[in-house]
Amino acid sequence: LDTTMASNIGAAAAAVPEIPENADGQNAPNQHVPSLAGSVLECPDGFGGSLLIRLQNMSSTANLGVRLDLKQIALRCRNTEFNPRRFAAVIMRLREPRATALIFSSGRMVVTGTKSTHNSALATRKFAYILERVGFQPAGMLDFKVQNIVGTVDVGFPIRLEGLVFAHPTFSSYEPELFPGLIYRLVQPRVVLLIFVSGKVVITGAKTEAQLIEGLRKMYPVLVEFRKENATSVPGDVPTIAAA
């Protein structure tokens, strides 16, 4: 009996597929399974510590390379919306990974709502598979590209926005009557930071996670320079930012 159990356990262990390793030698997520990896990025602050960037939204595009009949897609697919008088695209939603696609008759597709490159690429493949089942075979590669990544970070101290915009007028603008945050545009990497007096920062415009990290790494010493001394943090969260 013991010999039979041991052989069964050995066979079961052999049947479990190994998780592939990435270039860093770490276990890579299954390409068909949603993953939370990548939704939080660690950025060195240049002073021996680190900051955590939380990815809030990612927008990507793909091209199926084939003309689509949007009316047929809306009739045959679940979780879809199509009102050609309001918007010339089918809105399709996924639960896993949580994502929304805007599908145009030209075959182009915009995928939003994911929080990692892995999940964005996975959602794009799932949308393409759904359209293939309806009868629209993608022509070759999907030409998947990440167009915008939005992340938020809390630096942990209040910031003097008036002093910051006065010292950096070329790259920043601050109109408190119109918007409570300071808008700072970095040249390299090409990202935009929305900086609030509470110390909350929204970073947008990045096309890779590396650009997000590099933008914060360059900006953090400037924020430390204009740190408010002897001031309590302003309560409240960052206003919701709609990603393009």
Side-chain angles (χ1 to χ4, degrees):
L1 180 60
D2 294 341
T3 305
T4 305
M5 290 181 61
S7 61
N8 290 339
I9 293 173
V16 177
E18 293 185 359
I19 299 176
E21 293 187 348
N22 55 22
D24 299 328
Q26 300 176 345
N27 288 337
N30 190 321
Q31 62 177 348
H32 301 297
V33 179
S35 172
L36 294 177
S39 59
V40 178
L41 305 175
E42 187 173 358
C43 171
D45 61 9
F47 298 93
S50 62
L51 300 167
L52 294 181
I53 305 174
R54 299 186 181 277
L55 299 189
Q56 301 296 338
N57 191 26
M58 184 174 293
S59 300
S60 57
T61 58
N63 190 354
L64 302 175
V66 61
R67 298 287 300 182
L68 303 176
D69 185 342
L70 300 185
K71 187 175 181 180
Q72 183 181 359
I73 293 172
L75 290 174
R76 298 184 60 184
C77 296
R78 297 179 180 180
N79 300 321
T80 59
E81 299 176 18
F82 182 47
N83 189 343
R85 294 183 178 180
R86 296 184 60 185
F87 189 54
V90 167
I91 303 174
M92 185 181 295
R93 292 181 173 86
L94 279 181
R95 289 185 179 178
E96 286 294 330
R98 197 174 188 89
T100 301
L102 306 179
I103 304 171
F104 298 87
S105 60
S106 63
R108 294 188 177 275
M109 181 167 54
V110 179
V111 178
T112 64
T114 58
K115 296 187 178 182
S116 70
T117 303
H118 170 79
N119 285 354
S120 185
L122 174 60
T124 301
R125 290 196 298 269
K126 284 192 173 185
F127 285 125
Y129 175 73
I130 292 172
L131 296 177
E132 183 179 347
R133 292 293 299 270
V134 175
F136 301 99
Q137 176 71 34
M141 302 297 290
L142 294 177
D143 191 23
F144 172 82
K145 293 179 181 178
V146 175
Q147 301 294 345
N148 185 32
I149 305 176
V150 179
T152 59
V153 63
D154 187 353
V155 297
F157 52 82
I159 303 167
R160 294 185 292 111
L161 300 183
E162 295 84 358
L164 178 55
V165 72
F166 182 79
H168 298 257
T170 306
F171 308 104
S172 60
S173 61
Y174 181 45
E175 300 279 347
E177 298 86 359
L178 303 177
F179 185 68
L182 181 146
I183 302 173
Y184 197 102
R185 302 179 188 274
L186 280 176
V187 177
Q188 189 63 35
R190 199 175 185 85
V191 298
V192 178
L193 297 94
L194 309 179
I195 306 167
F196 299 87
V197 67
S198 62
K200 304 285 201 312
V201 180
V202 178
I203 311 171
T204 184
K207 294 184 182 295
T208 64
E209 288 90 340
Q211 289 182 356
L212 215 61
I213 294 173
E214 180 66 12
L216 180 60
R217 187 187 68 80
K218 285 187 174 182
M219 195 65 201
Y220 185 73
V222 179
L223 300 180
V224 172
E225 180 184 354
F226 292 94
R227 173 177 183 168
K228 274 188 179 180
E229 299 294 340
N230 302 323
T232 57
S233 298
V234 176
D237 294 326
V238 178
T240 303
I241 305 297

